[in-house]
């Protein structure tokens, strides 16, 4: 757009827009032509591969200008040069330039030449001429071409090299989209009534490798498969046709070498390809030159002699064309040749892959397990888990070896945060060690099992398994096992905020710290740091947090370090030390760039998104949530955090697409099933806020009342309680305020800010204006010092300073207006107004049954149950279960 504005102001220029096929060149040019400055017109023509003609696209554009009557009469009647006479060509080019200049004088214009990789030499010469002659004309020329069609020997390459020296030339190269951008594309393209599994979305993202066209075509195929009930993520015919068309330009001999290279892998050595293909150095060099020029392959600049397929889909298309029996024989040959290589020990992953593809399972089994160990040692846990699964599929003869392989797979999945996979593999180990009576190994397995159970929201069972492990450790008399059990119990109690129990287990572990392994020492110090924070002992909290990080750094295990830093960041966020939290989370995210898929990296990214949200960096927060959504997450904790933080961001940005991707009702149910307030309270409050913003106050009040009923008496976190003050009945507000008094003496500015804002909302609804203004002013001051602009804007609204509130929201890009206060109490109606089904549903709900349980009991959907309860609230003029129970009781007593 900037180039168009400059052209309209007589600063003519030429823009070369490049990218691979499907990179988005057409779309970016379309957007340019749709949003031109007032009075500017666009003219467009394409070079044709199958029907080239000298100056064809330029002649077409000039003809269009003549049709609009903005060129001299002779301008549209230009002919191509009659020969190779340079004078003849120059005169023609001068006439074209003069015609464009005259047309631009009448009104500024954009001339687009599409598919310039198929341009004839005269057109290319003309473009080069126009670079030097239209710099002061009201003309913008846009030249779009495919990068993968322009090699160093292509005529357009020379034009680009010469044009690059001109000041009025700009090159715009479209690279692959990142993960967040691909998901933006999916959100914009996916039909609103279609919901795809996360696995399918991740497949679209990974297989497209950032190419917008490929992503769109894969998405169409996945939607069609989803409707037919079979999701395959196979190569769509449209893409296969595009790639096959390019491969048809290759000679049979070179195609044979491409097939061998594709079977070797995405990356291969040139010398190895020559040996497998049985060709000499000259033939190899000729093949590689053509393959690189045609953009099938790229050479590794850091390792000359190594090549890779430029796009995985090109390799897939080639492999798909090889007969299965030939492919299997070739994989066997490749594997045996690799075994003859001097670096065979470093190529166990390749050996496992080729023996697997060759169906040589006995050879594959040993290599797959060794390759898994290598991947795990470098913390590539996703790769390790896949290799262990492959080794298990190949079959392991020895029972002990089978159990060890299951434990290795479970360990890899634990680091990835896939708890169901952990449980599946550890069940085999539990059965084995129980049968053999190996007490020490059984305790170790139980400890890993407990962590997986907690991530599956099976908190009670997780504690039961841990306590059993602790008892077994005492019976064994093994101090190392005693320490492991004690620190893991401490960690679990720290997460659940059971502070008294946490202190007991820390005291049990402390005398044994001298024999602690690094992982146990890190767990001990992070748990004790949490206890210090709960007691408002900030020096002790910081010391233990730094100690945990120091131990992890010394050990050199990124999983330990990610765990320690994530815990530190979470704690720092609780007390509004946002700079410390952000620094810790950024370091964890950097670890994730090297070691992908770590559970703690995902956790850290989500809480960092919340820190960004609180401090007003909404776009960045949204991008982090989108990154997390790109993967599959089994952990209930992670899914709850996605909903909690993603829905909060979506509410402020009015992004319904994001909220629908982050939230489903079962996430809230799973959070309540954990029995842990830290999981269900913030999530319930966030969902209630979203319901309020959508104009569903009854649903919001019902959810908040459920949260209040479940909270323990010592709960004192003010953040989830704010929504109660906004919309719940007075009795609920008083109950919530009583909880906040537990923390009244704490030297915590964030807790104080929440209390003041809570009191301001309560006063706005049930108190008086003077009280409201006093509390709102205090809240605004505290929130300004803490750097939380979203809540600060709310405080200004309550303080009757709307201009300051609006200015804050505009500065950070928040689209949601101030929270809507709950409705005033209404006159209650009789329960006789309810239908028979509504009464039936209400009576079960008032017995304490969850909506899902009521739905099962009455053979209804959960959504229908919610609708019946909401109708009852509306008809009876009540806003809480307590009021609902009273009305039902009154009606019953009259009857």
């Amino acid at each position: 757009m900037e180039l168009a504005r400059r052209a309209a102001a007589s600063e003519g220029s030429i823009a070369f827009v490049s990218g691979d096929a499907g990179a988005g060149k057409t779309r970016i040019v379309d957007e340019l032509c749709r949003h031109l400055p007032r009075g500017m017109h666009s003219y467009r023509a394409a070079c044709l591969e199958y029907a080239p003609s000298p100056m064809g696209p330029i002649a077409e554009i000039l003809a269009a200008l003549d049709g609009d009557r903005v060129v001299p009469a002779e301008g549209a009647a230009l002919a191509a040069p009659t020969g190779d006479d340079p004078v003849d060509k120059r005169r023609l080019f001068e006439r074209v330039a003069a015609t464009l200049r005259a047309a631009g004088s009448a009104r500024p214009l954009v001339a687009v030449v599409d598919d310039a990789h198929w341009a004839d030499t005269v057109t290319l010469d003309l473009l080069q001429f126009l670079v030097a002659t239209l710099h002061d004309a009201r003309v913008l020329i846009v030249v779009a071409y495919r990068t993968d069609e322009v090699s160093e020997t292509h005529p357009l390459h020379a034009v680009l090299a010469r044009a690059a020296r001109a000041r009025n030339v700009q090159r715009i190269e479209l690279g692959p989209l990142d993960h967040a951008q691909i998901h933006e594309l999916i959100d914009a393209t996916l039909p609103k009534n279609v919901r795809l599994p996360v696995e399918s979305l991740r497949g679209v993202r990974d297989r497209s490798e950032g190419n917008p066209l490929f992503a769109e075509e894969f998405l169409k195929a996945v939607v069609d498969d989803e409707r037919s009930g079979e999701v395959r993520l196979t190569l769509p015919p449209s893409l296969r046709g595009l790639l096959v068309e390019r491969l048809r330009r290759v000679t049979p001999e070179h195609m044979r070498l491409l097939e061998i290279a594709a079977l070797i892998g995405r990356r291969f050595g040139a010398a190895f390809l020559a040996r497998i293909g049985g060709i000499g150095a000259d033939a190899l060099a000729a093949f590689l030159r053509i393959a690189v020029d045609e953009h099938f392959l790229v050479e590794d600049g850091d390792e000359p002699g190594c090549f890779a397929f430029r796009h995985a889909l090109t390799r897939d298309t080639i492999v798909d064309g090889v007969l299965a029996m030939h492919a299997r024989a070739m994989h066997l040959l490749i594997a045996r040749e690799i075994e003859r290589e001097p670096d065979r020990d470093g190529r166990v992953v390749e050996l496992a892959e080729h023996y697997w593809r060759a169906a040589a399972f006995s050879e594959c089994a040993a290599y797959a397990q060794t390759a898994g160990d290598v991947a795990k040692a470098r913390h590539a846990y996703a790769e390790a888990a896949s290799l262990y699964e492959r080794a298990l599929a190949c079959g392991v003869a020895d029972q002990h070896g089978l159990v060890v392989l299951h434990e290795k797979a479970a360990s890899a999945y634990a680091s990835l945060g896939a708890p169901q996979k952990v449980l599946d593999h550890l069940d085999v180990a539990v059965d084995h060690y129980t049968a053999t009576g190996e007490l020490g190994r059984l305790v170790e397995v139980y400890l890993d099992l407990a962590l997986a159970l907690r991530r599956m929201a099976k908190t009670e069972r997780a504690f039961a398994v841990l306590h059993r492990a602790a008892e077994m450790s005492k019976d064994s008399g093994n101090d190392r096992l005693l320490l492991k059990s004690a620190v893991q119990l401490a960690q679990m109690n720290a997460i659940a905020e059971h502070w008294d129990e946490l202190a007991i287990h820390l005291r049990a572990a402390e005398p044994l710290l001298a024999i602690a392994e690094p992982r146990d020492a890190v767990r001990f110090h992070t748990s004790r740091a949490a206890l210090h924070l709960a007691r408002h002992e900030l020096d002790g909290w910081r010391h233990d947090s730094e100690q945990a990080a120091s131990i992890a750094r010394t050990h050199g295990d990124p999983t330990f370090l990610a765990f320690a830093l994530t815990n530190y960041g979470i704690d720092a966020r609780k007390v509004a030390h946002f700079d410390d939290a952000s620094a810790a989370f950024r370091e964890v995210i950097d670890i994730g760039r090297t070691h992908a898929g770590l559970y703690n990296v995902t956790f850290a990214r989500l809480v960092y998104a919340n820190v960004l949200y609180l401090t007003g960096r909404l776009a960045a927060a949204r991008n982090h949530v989108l990154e997390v959504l790109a993967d599959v997450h089994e952990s209930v904790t992670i899914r709850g955090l996605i909903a909690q933080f993603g829905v909060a961001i979506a509410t402020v940005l009015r992004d319904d697409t994001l909220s629908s991707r982050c939230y489903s009702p079962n996430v809230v149910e799973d959070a309540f099933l954990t029995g842990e307030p830290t999981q269900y309270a913030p999530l319930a409050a966030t969902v209630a806020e979203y319901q309020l913003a959508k104009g569903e106050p009854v649903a919001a009040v019902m959810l908040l009342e459920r949260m209040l009923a479940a909270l323990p008496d010592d709960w004192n976190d003010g953040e989830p309680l704010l929504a109660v003050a906004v919309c719940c009945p007075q009795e609920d507000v008083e109950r919530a305020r009583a909880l906040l008094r537990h923390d009244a003496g704490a030297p915590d500015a964030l807790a104080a800010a929440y209390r003041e804002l809570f009191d301001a909302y309560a006063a706005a609804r049930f108190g008086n204006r003077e009280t409201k203004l006093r509390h709102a002013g205090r809240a605004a001051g505290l929130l300004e010092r803490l750097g939380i602009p979203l809540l600060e804007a709310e405080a200004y609204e309550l303080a009757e300073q709307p201009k300051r509130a609006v200015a804050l929201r505009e500065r950070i890009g928040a689209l949601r207006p101030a929270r809507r206060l709950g409705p005033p109490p209404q006159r209650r109606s009789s329960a006789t107004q309810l239908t028979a089904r509504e009464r039936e549903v209400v009576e079960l709900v008032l017995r304490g049954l969850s909506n899902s349980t009521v739905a099962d009991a009455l053979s209804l959907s959960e959504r229908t149950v919610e609708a019946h309860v909401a109708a009852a609230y509306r008809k009876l003029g009540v806003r809480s279960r307590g009021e609902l129970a009273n009305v039902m009781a009154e009606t019953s007593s009259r009857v």
Side-chain angles (χ1 to χ4, degrees):
M1 284 304 300
E2 177 60 26
L3 289 177
R5 282 191 289 269
R6 284 162 53 186
S10 300
E11 291 185 40
S13 56
I14 295 184
F16 290 95
V17 180
S18 63
D20 288 352
K25 301 179 296 299
T26 300
R27 183 165 299 179
I28 197 172
V29 172
D30 287 345
E31 288 299 308
L32 168 68
C33 294
R34 271 199 292 267
H35 298 92
L36 291 175
R38 184 184 298 275
M40 196 171 199
H41 287 241
S42 63
Y43 299 87
R44 198 163 177 174
C47 304
L48 302 178
E49 179 185 26
Y50 55 86
S53 63
M55 280 180 43
I58 301 299
E60 189 175 336
I61 288 171
L62 293 178
L65 287 168
D66 179 58
D68 284 354
R69 302 184 183 280
V70 291
V71 296
E74 68 275 10
L78 295 172
T82 56
D84 294 329
D85 181 2
V87 176
D88 181 40
K89 187 181 291 187
R90 179 184 178 88
R91 287 172 180 165
L92 176 67
F93 289 175
E94 287 174 344
R95 289 176 61 197
V96 171
T99 302
L100 291 172
R101 182 184 296 277
S105 297
R107 66 182 185 200
L109 65 93
V110 175
V112 180
V113 178
D114 273 324
D115 296 327
H117 48 278
W118 290 325
D120 61 282
T121 55
V122 180
T123 299
L124 294 178
D125 289 345
L126 172 60
L127 291 174
Q128 188 173 316
F129 180 83
L130 295 177
V131 168
T133 55
L134 291 181
H135 57 86
D136 58 349
R138 296 208 299 170
V139 177
L140 168 63
I141 296 177
V142 178
V143 181
Y145 66 94
R146 291 184 190 170
T147 310
D148 47 2
E149 295 281 355
V150 178
S151 65
E152 292 184 3
T153 59
H154 194 288
L156 179 57
H157 187 272
V159 174
L160 294 168
R162 287 190 287 269
R165 296 190 290 269
R167 295 180 59 184
N168 62 326
V169 170
Q170 183 167 334
R171 293 186 63 173
I172 302 169
E173 185 164 358
L174 303 179
L177 304 181
D178 61 29
H179 289 176
Q181 290 168 331
I182 283 289
H183 280 284
E184 293 270 14
L185 175 64
I186 290 172
D187 289 342
T189 307
L190 191 66
K192 298 300 181 185
N193 61 335
V194 175
R195 288 182 65 88
L196 294 178
V198 177
E199 294 90 340
S200 298
L201 295 175
R202 182 174 59 178
V204 170
R205 180 204 73 190
D206 291 346
R207 295 212 67 192
S208 67
E209 293 188 336
N211 185 293
L213 174 65
F214 293 177
E216 288 182 347
E217 292 301 315
F218 270 118
L219 188 62
K220 290 176 188 174
V222 167
V223 169
D224 290 342
D225 288 346
E226 181 73 17
R227 287 169 174 161
S228 67
E230 182 183 5
V231 179
R232 295 164 296 176
L233 265 176
T234 53
L235 191 65
S238 56
L239 294 184
R240 180 173 175 76
L242 179 69
L243 296 167
V244 167
E245 183 65 30
R246 295 190 61 229
L247 289 168
R248 284 182 183 149
R249 302 199 294 245
V250 179
T251 65
E253 175 58 23
H254 287 168
M255 191 66 209
R256 184 183 77 86
L257 292 173
L258 275 175
E259 288 175 351
I260 296 172
L263 291 169
I264 292 172
R266 178 81 183 262
R267 188 174 184 274
F268 60 91
F272 188 74
L273 172 64
R275 193 161 87 237
I276 298 294
I279 59 172
D282 291 342
L284 175 67
F287 161 72
L288 292 173
R289 182 70 269 163
I290 290 174
V292 169
D293 285 347
E294 290 290 341
H295 294 271
F296 296 133
L297 303 178
V298 291
E299 185 174 13
D300 188 338
D302 296 328
E303 194 173 346
C306 286
F307 292 79
F309 281 89
R310 196 163 185 264
H311 203 293
L313 293 184
T314 303
R315 177 176 174 253
D316 292 347
T317 303
I318 294 169
V319 170
D320 286 348
V322 182
L323 292 174
M325 64 177 185
H326 292 158
R328 185 170 288 187
M330 183 59 69
H331 280 299
L332 188 61
L333 172 63
I334 292 168
R336 288 176 175 165
E337 287 296 327
I338 291 175
E339 287 186 320
R340 294 170 53 193
E341 294 281 290
D343 61 347
R344 56 168 286 176
D345 291 340
R347 300 175 69 178
V348 287
V349 174
E350 293 175 69
L351 286 164
E353 174 70 14
H354 289 298
Y355 276 126
W356 174 262
R357 299 294 176 190
F361 299 126
S362 58
E363 291 92 340
C364 175
Y367 282 122
Q369 182 166 185
T370 303
D373 294 342
V374 170
K376 189 180 176 186
R378 56 185 172 83
H379 311 291
Y381 296 105
E383 182 182 348
S386 176
L387 288 163
Y388 290 140
E389 293 282 18
R390 181 166 288 182
L392 285 165
C394 289
V396 180
D398 173 58
Q399 178 64 21
H400 177 73
L402 178 67
V403 172
V404 168
L405 195 50
H406 276 292
E407 288 187 85
K408 287 180 177 180
S411 176
Y413 282 123
S415 294
L416 294 170
Q420 186 57 58
K421 292 284 190 181
V422 176
L423 296 179
D424 293 342
H425 286 288
L426 289 185
D427 282 345
V428 177
V430 168
D431 291 343
H432 176 75
Y433 292 130
T434 300
T436 59
E438 296 178 63
L439 189 63
R441 289 301 311 139
L442 187 57
V443 169
E444 298 267 15
V445 172
Y446 275 152
L447 295 177
D448 292 336
L449 192 66
L451 182 59
L453 286 167
R454 189 200 167 273
R455 290 178 178 176
M456 292 290 289
K458 300 176 180 179
T459 307
E460 289 186 14
R461 189 178 164 198
F463 272 112
V465 169
L466 273 182
H467 286 299
R468 186 175 179 188
E471 290 299 322
M472 293 170 68
S473 299
K474 290 178 184 176
D475 294 341
S476 72
N478 185 319
D479 284 349
R480 186 178 63 84
L481 292 179
L482 277 170
L483 174 64
K484 282 182 173 293
S485 301
V487 295
Q488 194 147 327
L489 275 165
Q491 180 188 339
M492 287 273 286
N493 279 290
I495 293 170
E497 297 190 349
H498 298 160
W499 306 121
D500 293 339
E501 291 86 347
L502 168 58
I504 291 170
H505 295 299
L506 288 174
R507 285 195 296 271
E510 194 163 11
L512 302 173
L513 277 180
I515 61 170
E517 296 175 5
R519 181 183 295 275
D520 297 322
V522 169
R523 283 176 171 164
F524 175 86
H525 286 290
T526 54
S527 299
R528 193 166 70 179
L531 183 61
H532 281 308
L533 191 69
R535 293 172 173 173
H536 308 290
E537 300 164 355
L538 296 187
D539 289 341
W541 159 66
R542 193 178 293 277
H543 176 268
D544 268 308
S545 297
E546 291 172 352
Q547 186 72 9
S550 176
I551 294 169
R553 288 185 202 283
T554 302
H555 189 263
D557 188 325
T559 57
F560 294 1
L561 184 56
F563 173 78
L565 290 171
T566 299
N567 278 274
Y568 176 57
I570 292 168
D571 288 345
R573 180 238 178 251
K574 288 179 181 177
V575 290
H577 291 194
F578 294 129
D579 288 342
D580 291 338
S582 296
F585 291 139
R586 283 196 296 268
E587 186 173 352
V588 177
I589 292 167
D590 285 341
I591 291 171
R593 292 191 178 97
T594 307
H595 307 285
L598 295 182
Y599 172 84
N600 282 307
V601 172
T602 302
F603 204 113
R605 189 183 286 278
L606 285 168
V607 188
Y608 183 43
N610 180 248
V611 169
L612 293 170
Y613 160 82
L614 287 173
T615 53
R617 290 167 285 177
L618 302 179
R622 182 177 182 275
N623 285 339
H624 280 283
V625 172
L626 288 175
E627 285 288 338
V628 172
L629 284 171
D631 286 313
V632 180
H633 302 286
E634 293 181 17
S635 166
V636 171
T637 303
I638 293 296
R639 292 205 306 268
L641 289 177
I642 290 172
Q644 178 187 336
F645 300 144
V647 171
I649 295 165
T651 302
V652 170
L653 294 176
R654 290 183 173 176
D655 188 341
D656 289 338
T657 300
L658 179 62
S659 65
S660 66
R661 289 185 58 196
C662 293
Y663 170 73
S664 60
N666 65 295
V667 175
V668 174
E669 292 301 322
D670 288 342
F672 275 105
L673 285 173
T674 66
E676 297 179 11
T678 53
Q679 294 216 45
Y680 64 72
L683 176 57
T686 298
V687 172
E689 291 279 6
Y690 179 70
Q691 291 168 333
L692 284 173
K694 297 289 286 183
E696 301 171 5
V698 172
V701 170
M702 289 171 60
L703 183 55
L704 291 170
E705 287 192 326
R706 183 181 179 188
M707 176 194 78
L708 271 178
L711 285 175
D713 290 338
D714 61 351
W715 176 264
N716 56 25
D717 185 353
E719 187 175 5
L721 297 177
L722 281 178
V724 175
V726 172
C727 66
C728 286
Q730 189 168 4
E731 63 203 61
D732 293 331
V733 176
E734 290 171 355
R735 151 83 168 135
R737 187 62 182 85
L739 292 174
L740 286 176
R741 291 194 186 96
H742 290 294
D743 208 32
D748 183 343
L750 184 58
Y754 283 134
R755 281 197 303 274
E756 295 290 352
L757 192 56
F758 182 99
D759 288 340
Y761 271 119
R765 297 181 60 216
F766 306 111
N768 56 61
R769 180 172 179 270
E770 181 182 346
T771 304
K772 180 196 72 168
L773 293 176
R774 183 172 68 252
H775 288 298
R778 291 174 184 167
L782 287 167
L783 291 164
E784 182 181 16
R785 288 194 291 276
L786 291 168
I788 307 179
L790 276 170
L791 295 180
E792 184 187 349
E794 292 188 23
Y796 286 136
E797 287 282 356
L798 290 165
E800 300 178 8
Q801 300 179 48
K803 289 185 178 179
R804 296 186 71 175
V806 169
L808 261 181
R809 289 195 185 91
E810 288 180 348
R811 178 168 63 81
I812 63 176
L815 301 179
R816 189 195 75 177
R819 305 192 212 209
R820 285 185 263 184
L821 297 179
Q826 299 176 10
R827 183 175 59 84
R828 295 176 182 170
S829 303
S830 169
T832 55
Q833 294 184 2
L834 303 183
T835 66
R837 177 60 88 181
E838 287 167 353
R839 286 182 65 90
E840 191 176 19
V841 169
V842 165
E843 286 169 358
L844 290 176
V845 167
L846 291 178
R847 290 182 198 171
L849 301 181
S850 68
N851 288 349
S852 59
T853 305
V854 174
D856 291 340
L858 300 179
S859 300
L860 301 172
S861 71
E862 191 170 342
R863 186 178 293 276
T864 301
V865 171
E866 291 174 356
H868 282 316
V869 175
Y873 270 57
R874 186 175 59 256
K875 288 180 180 181
L876 303 180
V878 300
R879 292 172 295 151
S880 69
R881 293 198 181 199
E883 291 181 3
L884 181 60
N886 290 337
V887 173
M888 297 299 290
E890 289 170 6
T891 303
S892 177
S893 64
R894 286 198 299 270
V895 173

